[in-house]
Amino acid sequence: MGMVHFSMVEYPEALSFYEKAVEIWEKSLPSNHPSLATTYNNIASVHFSMAQYSKAQSSYEMALEIQQKSLSSKHPSLATAYSNIAAMHESTGEYSKALSYYEKTLEIWQKSLTSNHPSLATTYNNIAAVHESAGEYSKAFSYYERALEIQQTSLSSNHSSLATTYNNMGMVHQLMGEYLKALSYYEQAREIQQKALTSNNLPLAKINNNMGMVHQLMGEYLKALSYYEQAREIQQKALPPNNTDLANTYNKIGKVHQLMHEYSKALTNYEKALEIKQQFLLSNHPLLAIHYNNIGSIYWHMKEYLKALPFYEETVNILVRFLPHNYPLLATPYGNLALVLHILGKHSTALGYYEKTLQIMEKSVLYNSALVRIFHYKIANICEELNRYECAVEHAKCAVDAAHETFDLDHEMMQEYETYLEYLHGKLDFM
């Protein structure tokens, strides 16, 4: 009954039945019985699916402790237990711990399986994925190649696992900026997956999304749109209308329309993505901030600033609850909100957000002198509008200093900044 509820994504109900099972086993079985370990693993899987990682880890470790007492050191169940714990550490960004457990899994498989067994390929794929997440792309590609070599000798040429590995190899090249190589691997994956005899071909949708992203990165927006729409068509047939993967595809389609300056179409897709996410995420969930910001940016481009304002405000309101006040990625939503407030004439409030933006930018390597210059200049403008000329002069001078790092002395922008600084000095002297 726990498994049925788990398969229906009814996690609290699944957890309740699994815990009842444990209670019975603990009263009737020896403390090292395999059935106890199995149920602890099931409980851990539920916690893992609910992103309750500390609880998942505790249950996984209880299962592993039982298995280590009752099974031989190369038993397949131990390999599975190590793999489960590795996946949990990978999800929490603890990549060295994840690699350690995957390597224990690999050690068992190498001792107990033939050299071309699919489980070995799966573990190589898992190890590769951790290196990929850690940004170690060459190592990741090396392990994907090992997985592919095994699969090519042990599986049919149109097996879906081959498509998965080709897709993974394409992703590594994409992350390395090698877009043509990425497309080559994605196309091999797509060719295999198109032969799958299923009407609900979600792996093909994933590949289409990846190919769409590469074309988007290459500036080939019509091709990107074509692949994204093919992915959406598959997902609409195979998934419930409130599925997060479908929302993500709507978001991708919206982004391409935005890049093509087709703002009404972009807005429609961004709104569909937000509507889906709002059905299963809490109102202050950080993922919603992305969607609010996207919609705000469309209204900004459409110069409908009053409509943009509440979406930018909600973006900031959500993010400040979850991120430190000086977190580098907060600069962008602060800056967006400041710009809209400035245009709408809410100068004092805008100044506060400009200052927060600049404070983060000056302390972070993510932002270059050009952005710092622009925000010093914006603050100088708004200080002038508030008749705070000392403040305006201070920031205009900082803008000039930052401009020296970017422009030649006779550059048009350089001259504009220096002329503005002279004008402010004149205003200050007049006062």
Side-chain angles (χ1 to χ4, degrees), residues 52-183:
Q52 297 173 342
Y53 298 121
S54 60
K55 292 181 179 180
Q57 181 174 350
S58 175
S59 294
Y60 276 139
E61 287 174 349
M62 291 174 77
L64 178 61
E65 185 179 346
I66 293 170
Q67 290 168 322
Q68 286 174 325
K69 292 176 181 177
S70 59
L71 302 174
S72 69
S73 60
K74 61 179 183 179
H75 194 281
S77 292
L78 269 180
T80 302
Y82 288 134
S83 188
N84 289 338
I85 295 174
M88 185 205 59
H89 285 303
E90 182 181 357
S91 296
T92 57
E94 298 174 297
Y95 300 130
S96 60
K97 289 182 179 179
L99 283 173
S100 173
Y101 281 101
Y102 277 137
E103 285 163 0
K104 289 179 179 180
T105 302
L106 183 62
E107 186 178 350
I108 292 173
W109 291 144
Q110 286 174 327
K111 291 177 180 177
S112 59
L113 302 175
T114 59
S115 60
N116 67 341
H117 194 282
S119 292
L120 266 173
T122 299
T123 306
Y124 282 131
N125 260 320
N126 290 339
I127 292 172
V130 176
H131 284 299
E132 181 183 319
S133 298
E136 299 169 339
Y137 301 131
S138 295
K139 289 182 180 178
F141 192 76
S142 173
Y143 279 101
Y144 283 139
E145 284 184 316
R146 294 188 201 182
L148 181 64
E149 185 179 347
I150 292 171
Q151 290 169 330
Q152 286 174 325
T153 61
S154 60
L155 302 174
S156 64
S157 60
N158 63 346
H159 195 282
S160 61
S161 293
L162 271 171
T164 299
T165 303
Y166 280 126
N167 184 68
N168 293 340
M169 295 169 86
M171 179 58 70
V172 172
H173 282 298
Q174 178 181 326
L175 293 169
M176 294 171 71
E178 298 173 345
Y179 299 137
L180 291 178
K181 289 183 179 178
L183 281 175

Side-chain angles (χ1 to χ4, degrees), residues 161-297:
S161 293
L162 271 171
T164 299
T165 303
Y166 280 126
N167 184 68
N168 293 340
M169 295 169 86
M171 179 58 70
V172 172
H173 282 298
Q174 178 181 326
L175 293 169
M176 294 171 71
E178 298 173 345
Y179 299 137
L180 291 178
K181 289 183 179 178
L183 281 175
S184 174
Y185 282 104
Y186 285 150
E187 284 165 358
Q188 290 181 79
R190 191 169 187 266
E191 184 179 347
I192 293 171
Q193 199 58 49
Q194 281 179 319
K195 297 175 183 177
L197 299 176
T198 173
S199 58
N200 300 333
N201 200 334
L202 290 174
L204 180 58
K206 180 179 180 180
I207 296 166
N208 284 334
N209 264 327
N210 289 342
M211 294 184 75
M213 179 56 69
V214 174
H215 284 296
Q216 178 182 322
L217 292 168
M218 294 171 70
E220 298 173 343
Y221 299 136
L222 288 176
K223 288 183 179 179
L225 202 55
S226 173
Y227 282 109
Y228 287 150
E229 287 172 345
Q230 290 178 63
R232 182 187 60 188
E233 186 177 344
I234 294 169
Q235 291 170 330
Q236 285 175 325
K237 293 177 181 177
L239 297 172
N242 64 344
N243 184 271
T244 182
D245 289 336
L246 182 57
N248 292 337
T249 302
Y250 277 124
N251 202 56
K252 290 181 173 74
I253 293 171
K255 182 63 176 178
V256 175
H257 282 301
Q258 181 175 349
L259 291 168
M260 295 170 69
H261 307 294
E262 297 174 348
Y263 298 127
S264 294
K265 291 180 179 178
L267 182 60
T268 298
N269 283 281
Y270 281 153
E271 286 175 337
K272 287 180 180 177
L274 175 61
E275 183 182 351
I276 292 172
K277 291 290 182 75
Q278 285 175 323
Q279 292 181 44
F280 63 90
L281 294 178
L282 295 174
S283 61
N284 65 345
H285 194 285
L287 286 178
L288 287 179
I290 297 170
H291 299 283
Y292 286 124
N293 186 71
N294 288 342
I295 294 174
S297 71

Side-chain angles (χ1 to χ4, degrees), residues 334 337-338 341 346-359 379 382 386 388:
Y334 279 148
L337 183 54
L341 289 165
K346 301 183 179 185
H347 296 149
S348 296
T349 311
L351 180 59
Y353 283 109
Y354 274 140
E355 288 172 340
K356 289 179 179 180
T357 304
L358 189 58
Q359 183 181 14
I379 292 176
I382 208 165
L386 292 168
R388 294 174 53 183

